[in-house]
Amino acid sequence: MSDDADVIVVGAGLAGLVATYELVRAGRKVLVVDQENEANLGGQAFWSLGGLFFVNSPEQRRMGIKDSYDLALADWMGSAAFDREREDHWPRQWAKAYVNFAAGEKRSYLYGLGLKVTATVGWAERGAGTAGGHGNSVPRFHLTWGTGPEVVRVFREPVLAAAARGLVTFKYRHRVDDLIVEGGAAVGVRGSVLVPSSEPRGVASSREPAGEFELRAQAVVVTSGGIGGDHDLVRKNWPVERMGPAPRSMVTGVPAYVDGRMLGITENAGGSIVNRDRMWHYTEGLKNWDPIWPGHGIRIIPGPSSLWLDATGRRLPAPLFPGHDTLGTLKHIVGTGHDHTWFVLTRSIVEKEFALSGSEQNPDITGKDLKLVLSRVRKGAPGPVQAFLDHGEDFVVRRSLRDLVDGMNAISPGPKLELDQVEREIRARDREIDNGYGKDFQVMSMRNARAYWPDRITRVAKPHRLLDPAHGPLIAVRLHVLTRKTLGGLETTLDSQVVRPDGTPFDGLYAAGEVAGFGGGGVHGYNALEGTFLGGCIFSGRAAGRALARRLA
């Protein structure tokens, strides 16, 4: 079986759409191959919150934020902590190029496609507490007006228009099993045609084959995503020496099709994989009470005020506070020998500070419903958060601390908590609230966050004692490790061309998005600054499409 095309794109997610968009702008013909059905066009990006990392944007300047390329690059390099001469060669170059993109053309490129962001800028991943280390020095998280579906839409619509003109052909339910390499160059793909599927977006589909296919073109672009949907593969690549043992129990933050298959297939064909031990998993995962895919987890995007306890009821050490240092917190948690932790908070905190990641958990912003968005500043928890309070198995709501601890113990998968231990941690924290001074770094962080006026109005509760009944009832939330992103991957040049293990370019083979570590095989290094995953798909997909548009005959 063959089709007339200049390029085959493997994966119909965001990076694949961007690469296809750039190719058809240049008049190239593209075959897009994906193992899922048409309902999944846009891939994992559709489910995202739509956060984008911009530097020195108009939105930042209106908030009084002073940002610059130099500051952002210092934050990026401090977070990435590149330390591998061979494997970090291309990631270092990608990091400089991406920060330059985020400080320059990125915003106009996306706005030219019709994408807009909300007026306020979020301050995600605030860091480990040192000026030269991990974290964002200033707010940089720009939320797309329309969340992930809107990021997908601005590329999907021109690609579908090109399909109507005959420039793009989609091959859904086509699972690539091999890359065809002839004369040292990638010239096509072969694999299995899977049985038809009518499953809704994100729902796991059959892997039963119904036939075979072979497709050829001048070049192949692999944009198939990472490994977060396969816990066995996550554990196989887990950096035990650096992070400690892999969790025995995790929830899944991505659909089942994020299976990492193309990484092994491309490596077997001769492509280089680097930094495979670098990954990004969240520590504030919930079991979704209304799941879409197997083991479906949702991440809490927390404000800074919840008290974070380990499985034994001991407070996590500074600076491991909500919203600060994801991987530092993850390392500490797995080092305790338990996979779960607890937030302890009040009704006042949950109403002001809890947000849930994902397009489906933010219907107001996803649906561009301004009236519904404004309801967030009213008293009461947002609808999706209230639904978890009502139905989520990880939430305990009680009027007294004794009853709260009893409720926590009723759902604890590990050691039983002692009331005296939990009470000591809460009362020690509460003492630091009573005046404007104190030695508690988390309380300092809360006050620092409220100095940023958008956070004070919309995101951070007024500091108060957790045991103050006026702010009750008390709430405890059982937290799980949630799989998400692959930070290493296929090694690529700045044109997104795959590199062989000896460092030479692989003719005809390109890779973009998460399968390429969002560029170069690991543009983030060891840590991500948030709002950078969608942007990495866009930047690397754009690089692949533009490079091939220039080079193809």
Side-chain angles (χ1 to χ4, degrees), residues 15 19 221-225 492 496 510-516 518 536-537 540-542 544:
V221 184
V222 179
T223 62
S224 54
T492 59
S496 288
Y510 293 72
E514 192 174 352
V515 75
F518 301 91
C537 289
S540 58
R542 178 177 181 261

Side-chain angles (χ1 to χ4, degrees), residues 17-145:
L17 284 175
V18 176
T20 302
Y21 166 74
E22 291 291 344
L23 284 161
V24 297
R25 285 183 69 199
R28 304 298 183 180
K29 297 187 73 174
V30 182
L31 269 170
V32 180
V33 180
D34 197 281
Q35 65 183 349
E36 298 303 317
N37 63 18
E38 185 176 1
N40 289 278
L41 184 60
Q44 187 181 339
F46 179 91
W47 300 105
S48 76
L49 187 58
L52 294 168
F53 179 93
F54 291 131
V55 176
N56 191 27
S57 69
E59 292 78 20
Q60 286 177 299
R61 294 193 293 272
R62 282 195 291 269
M63 298 294 109
I65 299 163
K66 296 180 179 180
D67 200 6
S68 67
Y69 168 80
D70 290 338
L71 180 61
L73 184 63
D75 285 349
W76 193 290
M77 293 302 187
S79 297
F82 295 123
D83 60 359
R84 297 170 177 172
E85 182 176 355
R86 166 69 178 84
E87 294 194 343
D88 285 337
H89 169 72
W90 286 112
R92 284 189 178 95
Q93 296 184 57
W94 272 91
K96 294 174 183 177
Y98 180 71
V99 175
N100 185 63
F101 180 59
E105 190 182 355
K106 180 180 178 182
R107 190 177 185 278
S108 61
Y109 177 71
L110 293 172
Y111 266 57
L113 287 162
L115 184 141
K116 300 292 189 294
V117 298
T118 59
T120 60
V121 184
W123 197 352
E125 204 63 16
R126 300 185 187 211
T130 60
H134 169 57
N136 284 296
S137 296
V138 298
R140 295 192 178 104
F141 190 88
H142 296 69
L143 183 58
T144 299
W145 183 235

Side-chain angles (χ1 to χ4, degrees), residues 190-363:
R190 63 170 65 95
S192 303
V193 180
L194 303 179
V195 296
S197 169
S198 59
E199 298 289 356
R201 181 187 289 274
V203 175
S205 63
S206 169
R207 291 293 177 263
E208 181 184 349
E212 298 178 345
F213 72 91
E214 182 173 306
L215 301 166
R216 290 175 175 261
Q218 295 184 61
V220 176
V221 184
V222 179
T223 62
S224 54
I227 67 174
D230 185 334
H231 289 197
D232 290 338
L233 199 51
V234 168
R235 292 188 180 98
K236 179 181 177 181
N237 289 282
W238 190 270
V240 175
E241 291 186 3
R242 188 174 75 252
M243 295 292 291
R248 296 178 295 276
S249 173
M250 298 180 283
V251 294
T252 310
V254 294
Y257 56 70
V258 186
D259 56 17
R261 289 184 72 255
M262 285 304 301
L263 281 162
I265 289 168
T266 308
E267 184 177 34
N268 289 338
S272 172
I273 296 178
V274 293
N275 302 311
R276 67 181 81 217
D277 62 317
R278 294 178 183 169
M279 54 187 77
W280 187 260
H281 305 303
Y282 289 111
T283 52
E284 313 97 335
L286 304 172
K287 293 183 179 180
N288 193 348
W289 67 272
D290 187 19
I292 296 170
W293 53 79
H296 190 172
I298 296 294
R299 185 203 173 200
I300 297 171
I301 304 175
S305 303
S306 297
L307 183 68
W308 207 336
L309 304 178
D310 69 17
T312 69
R314 289 170 174 77
R315 190 176 181 184
L316 270 60
L320 306 182
F321 311 132
H324 279 66
D325 184 355
T326 294
L327 292 193
T329 305
L330 178 59
K331 180 178 180 179
H332 177 81
I333 290 170
V334 299
T336 67
H338 305 286
D339 298 335
H340 73 285
T341 56
W342 300 94
F343 275 172
V344 176
L345 58 149
T346 64
R347 181 76 191 191
S348 295
I349 293 172
V350 81
E351 290 181 358
K352 191 74 174 281
E353 297 195 3
F354 266 35
L356 300 172
S357 184
S359 56
E360 83 283 9
Q361 298 296 330
N362 295 272

Side-chain angles (χ1 to χ4, degrees), residues 260-483:
R261 289 184 72 255
M262 285 304 301
L263 281 162
I265 289 168
T266 308
E267 184 177 34
N268 289 338
S272 172
I273 296 178
V274 293
N275 302 311
R276 67 181 81 217
D277 62 317
R278 294 178 183 169
M279 54 187 77
W280 187 260
H281 305 303
Y282 289 111
T283 52
E284 313 97 335
L286 304 172
K287 293 183 179 180
N288 193 348
W289 67 272
D290 187 19
I292 296 170
W293 53 79
H296 190 172
I298 296 294
R299 185 203 173 200
I300 297 171
I301 304 175
S305 303
S306 297
L307 183 68
W308 207 336
L309 304 178
D310 69 17
T312 69
R314 289 170 174 77
R315 190 176 181 184
L316 270 60
L320 306 182
F321 311 132
H324 279 66
D325 184 355
T326 294
L327 292 193
T329 305
L330 178 59
K331 180 178 180 179
H332 177 81
I333 290 170
V334 299
T336 67
H338 305 286
D339 298 335
H340 73 285
T341 56
W342 300 94
F343 275 172
V344 176
L345 58 149
T346 64
R347 181 76 191 191
S348 295
I349 293 172
V350 81
E351 290 181 358
K352 191 74 174 281
E353 297 195 3
F354 266 35
L356 300 172
S357 184
S359 56
E360 83 283 9
Q361 298 296 330
N362 295 272
D364 50 351
I365 302 171
T366 300
K368 303 180 183 179
D369 187 331
L370 184 58
K371 183 177 179 181
L372 194 57
V373 169
L374 293 175
S375 71
R376 290 187 179 225
V377 300
R378 300 173 190 159
K379 186 174 178 58
V385 174
Q386 186 62 52
F388 270 88
L389 285 165
D390 294 339
H391 306 294
E393 65 179 87
D394 296 310
F395 284 77
V396 180
V397 183
R398 299 289 190 273
R399 286 289 174 184
S400 74
L401 182 58
R402 180 178 295 277
D403 289 344
L404 186 79
V405 172
D406 287 345
M408 294 164 73
N409 281 330
I411 64 171
S412 174
K416 298 301 182 182
L417 298 162
E418 295 181 3
L419 173 62
D420 289 348
Q421 172 64 37
V422 175
E423 186 172 18
R424 278 196 300 271
E425 298 289 8
I426 292 176
R427 291 195 181 280
R429 179 261 190 204
D430 279 1
R431 282 196 299 269
E432 299 298 308
I433 296 293
D434 288 339
N435 59 62
Y437 302 95
K439 62 184 179 181
D440 190 294
F441 281 175
Q442 183 176 5
V443 175
M444 295 179 195
S445 178
M446 291 155 52
R447 290 173 173 148
N448 186 43
R450 284 178 63 83
Y452 175 49
W453 67 265
D455 272 3
R456 184 173 66 253
I457 294 170
T458 66
R459 196 73 176 92
V460 182
K462 184 177 180 180
H464 60 270
R465 290 179 290 110
L466 296 178
L467 296 180
D468 184 348
H471 292 276
L474 286 163
I475 298 169
V477 187
R478 181 181 60 183
L479 303 175
H480 309 263
V481 175
L482 178 141
T483 65

